[in-house]
Amino acid sequence: MSGPVVLGIESSCDETGAGIVRDGELLAHVVASSMDEHARFGGVVPEIAARAHLHAFNPVVRQALDQAGLRLNQIDAVAVTTGPGLSGALQVGLAGAKTLAYAAGVPLYGVHHLAGHVAADTLEHGPLPDPCVVLIVSGGHTSLLLVRDLVREPILHLGDTLDDAAGECFDKVARILGLPYPGGPAIDRAARDGDPKAVAFPRPLTRPGDDPYAFSFSGLKTAAARWAEKYRQRGEEPPVADGAAALQEAVADVLTRKALAACRAYDVKTLIVVGGVAANSRVRALAERRCASAGIELRVPPLTLCTDNGAMIAAVGDLLVRSGAEPAPLNVSVDPSAPLEYASLTPLPAPPVAAP
């Protein structure tokens, strides 16, 4: 007998995603991105993102159902990102998910966006080992987590970024180097022709006495800006390929060095790397090499599941349903700055303030 079918909705930033999962198996995975609409502004514009979600929501859901060969009345639960993310974007997704759950007469589950990234790996590699260390690297987040049972136990934060996330550093330096947005893929492409040893960029928070699991990429961004400025002050353009390769090497070095240190300290044999920056070729290659040397299993989702998508939210919903978790109340709201404590996220609207 097959398990429940879960439809997942993701709308936290500039991707509108719908995915369908049953018993850990991915049945459908559809994403519509508004990235091109933001590129000319050099970053995501919240109002444009929310409007794009409105236009894309119904077509994406319809396409996911068609891909799975299902009708809405064959869905057993709906899961939706309720935070963190852009407030307007999250609200579009939640409103749509509530409508679908009501129309289908099924429970709704609120999901933490970052837990979705963790669960994305299960769609390719099966259940998460207990315990495992998870490195989340994206445009807005860089975190090291100790994960046991993703949906039943609290998630332990070993360390987080103190300022810029790794993906944010890529975006900002790409702009300095004259590369297009989004910066991560542009840096990765440019780095192919560069020398990673050409520039001695710093490795933030890796000296003795520093927090072993915290991250900081603001100073690295500033170092890259000053390096480029020296060339321009002489009337020259900086060697972009070398700068991109050296920056990418510094980021990958810090990320993997700290992740492996956490695995050793907590006697964990599996490292899982997720999030948009997990698609970076140097991060993946260096993680593979260092994990192999340390005897640690490395798990990284396929590239299509690294960036934001509805399949990862459906994966969390699937785990929540099968664990017997309580669904979200009807008045569930969004929390744009929600900390990652549990996979389930069901914030409620603030009570009205009494008139004086």
Side-chain angles (χ1 to χ4, degrees), residues 292-334:
S293 296
I296 292 171
E297 179 192 16
L298 174 67
R299 291 177 32 164
V300 186
L303 295 181
T304 57
L305 293 176
C306 286
T307 52
D308 295 350
N309 62 84
M312 68 186 197
I313 304 305
V316 179
D318 174 56
L319 293 172
L320 289 169
V321 171
R322 288 193 280 147
S323 73
E326 284 292 315
L330 292 176
N331 62 337
V332 61
S333 184
V334 300

Side-chain angles (χ1 to χ4, degrees), residues 7-52:
L7 169 65
I9 303 295
E10 157 62 23
S11 71
S12 65
C13 192
D14 58 345
E15 277 99 9
T16 311
I20 299 176
V21 171
R22 178 177 57 207
D23 283 339
E25 179 187 359
L26 182 59
L27 305 181
H29 169 40
V30 179
V31 177
S33 175
S34 59
M35 182 73 71
D36 291 346
E37 298 176 57
H38 304 282
R40 61 196 176 103
F41 299 102
V44 176
V45 180
E47 293 81 2
I48 292 176
R51 194 180 311 121

Side-chain angles (χ1 to χ4, degrees), residues 176-196:
I176 291 165
L177 297 179
L179 296 172
Y181 178 86
I187 292 281
D188 204 349
R189 287 191 298 270
R192 293 171 193 164
D193 301 319
D195 177 4

Side-chain angles (χ1 to χ4, degrees), residues 210-235:
D210 289 338
D211 186 325
Y213 310 128
F215 299 95
S216 169
F217 293 105
S218 180
L220 180 57
K221 169 202 67 184
T222 302
R226 288 176 177 166
W227 169 79
E229 185 181 5
K230 287 179 182 177
Y231 281 89
R232 290 175 178 142
Q233 285 175 343
R234 299 197 300 260

